[in-house]
Amino acid sequence: MRLITRFFQKIAFVFLMLVGVLLCPTQSWAFQEGQDDNDFNQYRGEVVDESTNKPLVFATISVEGTNISTITNTEGNFLLKVPKEITDGNVIVSFLGYRTKTIPLLQFQPEGNTIGLLVSVTQLSEININAPKDATALVKETLARKGDNYFDDHTLMTAFYRETIKKRRRNVSLSEAVVSIYKTPYNSTRNDAVELYKARKSTDYSKLDTVALKLQGGPFNTLYVDIMKYPEYIFAEGSVDNYKFSFDRSTRINNRLIYVIKFNQLETILEPLYGGELFIDVENKTLTSAIYNLNITDKDMAARLFVRRKPSGVDVWPTQVAYRVDYREKGGKWYYGYSSVMMEFKVDWADKLFNSLYSMTAEMAVTDWEKNETGQLPRNRERVKKSIILSDEAIGFSDPDFWGEYNIIEPEKSIESAIRKIQRQLRRSQRNSK
């Protein structure tokens, strides 16, 4: 219990439930900002399985020879913004288990770009030659080689962060931000720092059962899912032996052979740990991706981990807590590219017949980066605090050109619909108040 509690204290991934009847949006939504010269082109499209036409979620789209990239959303759609001076480059589209595709930028149109990827078939002969026999030993070696395989320079990353709250399938709250991540070398024990550049929000409080749900921690919820930078919160020294590791299958990413290793906590371990899959490049002993869940079979213990404050007469407990982290490669070194945290939980009112089901999702994607030559971090007063509640810091959704040249994760249709609806409510409220 000590290990898992320390992890959540570190990332401040807790939920606040504050009493309050808030039936209309606040009036602090207006935002206008003069745009710089729009020296970029933008391209919208989707990435799909070429055989089934099924959308590929979290596929990576990057401009070859640059650090510019984005990912597809949960509907397979993407938005890529490229400086106008880049005209004859290539776009690299990759997805775990599929063949990477290279497409000339000149072939892209502003709208309607559909990119089909083929499944990468791994021959059995490939996985039998010099195959590792001990999954636990492979995981330990991968963790030990983070100083060799991942960025060893100070890096300044630009990232897009989004957190959403849904009541069942309906979006009721959305906060987004562009942040600067001052990433320290992977072999350094110094923590990363985050600086908030732009942020906005939209909340329909009338759908929240007179309870406002808020997520504490903001970008740090996703940043600390970077296993290779912060292994101590999941695979702390000595705690690897609390898990059972086993080979599951093999796949490919960027034409490299990847082994999938399943892991689960041993039955003799009582404290809640994790279970899931690790995707490891066997040749270089590099973790390229991880998808895992927290063991929350003990409902009361899980509630104590996540719920900071709640009204009396209400029971709140998580029903699922899931994590994902993806890494990207540049010049033979890997770096943090994308991560997400998703939590589903129930709210049970003592005086109501039915309970409410909510989900909260936080995700962050690195869209550009450069070396931080000086290694300096922002001053304390400029840093985002680990206790931040982004929905309290952000402003509203009134400016369609809010992000300018920054790459973002394309909004899902349900999010766009929710924003339009709340904007109509706001305009109606403003007209009625005059």
Side-chain angles (χ1 to χ4, degrees):
M1 184 64 186
R2 230 181 7 257
L3 173 65
I4 191 71
T5 302
R6 190 176 68 207
F7 174 67
F8 287 109
Q9 286 174 342
K10 184 67 177 179
I11 64 171
F13 187 68
V14 294
F15 294 91
L16 305 183
M17 302 189 62
L18 308 177
V19 180
V21 182
L22 303 172
L23 299 180
C24 64
T26 64
Q27 298 300 311
S28 61
W29 285 23
F31 180 86
Q32 296 295 331
E33 177 180 282
Q35 280 297 117
D36 296 330
D37 292 336
N38 292 333
D39 292 331
F40 61 90
N41 295 314
Q42 62 180 30
Y43 309 94
R44 281 187 166 87
E46 61 178 344
V47 181
V48 300
D49 181 304
E50 192 165 294
S51 301
T52 66
N53 212 38
K54 179 181 177 181
L56 297 182
V57 179
F58 307 139
T60 298
I61 302 95
S62 58
V63 181
E64 188 176 34
T66 75
N67 303 324
I68 301 169
S69 61
T70 188
I71 64 166
T72 57
N73 63 14
T74 57
E75 296 165 342
N77 298 320
F78 68 87
L79 168 63
L80 179 67
K81 297 182 181 182
V82 182
K84 286 184 176 178
E85 62 264 23
I86 301 177
T87 57
D88 57 354
N90 292 321
V91 175
I92 310 297
V93 184
S94 61
F95 186 74
L96 189 66
Y98 286 73
R99 295 180 186 174
T100 299
K101 180 171 284 189
T102 302
I103 306 170
L105 183 59
L106 289 173
Q107 293 184 11
F108 275 75
Q109 302 298 319
E111 302 281 346
N113 301 284
T114 299
I115 303 168
L117 299 184
L118 289 171
V119 173
S120 177
V121 179
T122 303
Q123 301 296 326
L124 289 177
S125 59
E126 290 186 83
I127 65 174
N128 288 329
I129 299 174
N130 299 321
K133 307 300 182 184
D134 188 332
T136 303
L138 177 58
V139 171
K140 288 182 177 179
E141 186 176 357
T142 299
L143 293 172
R145 294 189 60 178
K146 67 175 184 176
D148 299 326
N149 293 332
Y150 297 82
F151 275 7
D152 52 6
D153 295 312
H154 287 269
T155 312
L156 179 58
M157 295 178 166
T158 299
F160 176 75
Y161 173 79
R162 173 184 289 153
E163 59 185 48
T164 59
I165 300 175
K166 291 185 178 182
K167 182 180 179 183
R168 298 197 181 275
R169 296 184 178 181
R170 180 175 295 177
N171 286 287
V172 294
S173 182
L174 170 67
S175 299
E176 298 178 325
V178 169
V179 299
S180 297
I181 303 173
Y182 291 76
K183 197 78 174 162
T184 59
Y186 274 80
N187 56 5
S188 168
T189 58
R190 195 175 185 184
N191 286 348
D192 303 327
V194 178
E195 191 173 7
L196 186 65
Y197 181 65
K198 283 188 173 185
R200 65 183 187 177
K201 67 177 179 181
S202 174
T203 305
D204 186 355
Y205 289 107
S206 65
K207 301 295 190 298
L208 287 175
D209 289 339
T210 72
V211 174
L213 287 79
K214 297 184 180 182
L215 174 60
Q216 181 176 315
F220 288 98
N221 292 313
T222 47
L223 187 59
Y224 285 125
V225 182
D226 182 354
I227 293 178
M228 296 308 298
K229 176 62 180 176
Y230 302 100
E232 63 269 25
Y233 302 117
I234 300 175
F235 299 126
E237 186 175 354
S239 71
V240 172
D241 296 327
N242 293 331
Y243 292 93
K244 178 183 178 181
F245 298 91
S246 59
F247 292 106
D248 183 53
R249 64 188 187 278
S250 63
T251 184
R252 281 191 172 272
I253 184 169
N254 295 339
N255 299 318
R256 301 189 67 87
L257 185 62
I258 306 295
Y259 276 72
V260 182
I261 296 181
K262 282 188 173 295
F263 69 98
N264 282 290
Q265 69 182 82
L266 299 175
E267 294 181 359
T268 55
I269 304 300
L270 300 180
E271 65 177 294
L273 297 179
Y274 303 90
E277 297 179 329
L278 304 175
F279 297 79
I280 296 179
D281 180 334
V282 179
E283 181 180 350
N284 296 319
K285 308 298 186 297
T286 303
L287 180 72
T288 63
S289 186
I291 302 172
Y292 56 102
N293 294 271
L294 175 67
N295 176 4
I296 54 171
T297 53
D298 189 322
K299 184 175 76 172
D300 294 333
M301 184 182 296
R304 288 195 298 271
L305 287 173
F306 291 99
V307 181
R308 174 65 61 85
R309 192 161 68 244
K310 66 181 181 64
S312 59
V314 179
D315 285 331
V316 186
W317 66 93
T319 57
Q320 182 182 4
V321 182
Y323 305 86
R324 179 188 181 111
V325 61
D326 295 324
Y327 296 91
R328 299 171 188 158
E329 186 265 343
K330 175 80 171 180
K333 295 282 188 178
W334 292 75
Y335 65 97
Y336 163 75
Y338 172 83
S339 63
S340 65
V341 183
M342 188 279 290
M343 181 178 180
E344 292 182 349
F345 62 101
K346 289 187 177 180
V347 179
D348 188 10
W349 294 79
D351 58 350
K352 291 187 179 181
L353 183 60
F354 300 103
N355 53 37
S356 300
L357 181 65
Y358 289 92
S359 63
M360 301 183 80
T361 303
E363 60 180 335
M364 186 158 65
V366 172
T367 58
D368 202 355
W369 58 267
E370 60 185 5
K371 283 188 178 181
N372 182 1
E373 300 289 354
T374 65
Q376 289 184 339
L377 303 181
R379 290 174 292 185
N380 286 334
R381 68 171 179 267
E382 297 170 343
R383 299 186 191 190
V384 172
K385 293 181 173 59
K386 298 179 180 67
S387 58
I388 187 177
I389 299 174
L390 185 61
S391 60
D392 288 347
E393 301 291 330
I395 51 181
F397 275 85
S398 62
D399 186 353
D401 298 318
F402 183 84
W403 300 120
E405 63 186 22
Y406 289 96
N407 276 292
I408 64 171
I409 304 173
E410 183 79 332
E412 289 85 358
K413 292 182 177 64
S414 59
I415 289 178
E416 291 178 325
S417 176
I419 292 171
R420 287 195 296 269
K421 182 177 180 181
I422 294 172
Q423 286 176 327
R424 287 196 299 270
Q425 291 174 338
L426 175 61
R427 287 194 292 269
R428 236 184 342 261
S429 173
Q430 290 174 331
R431 284 197 300 268
N432 293 336
S433 65
K434 292 179 180 179

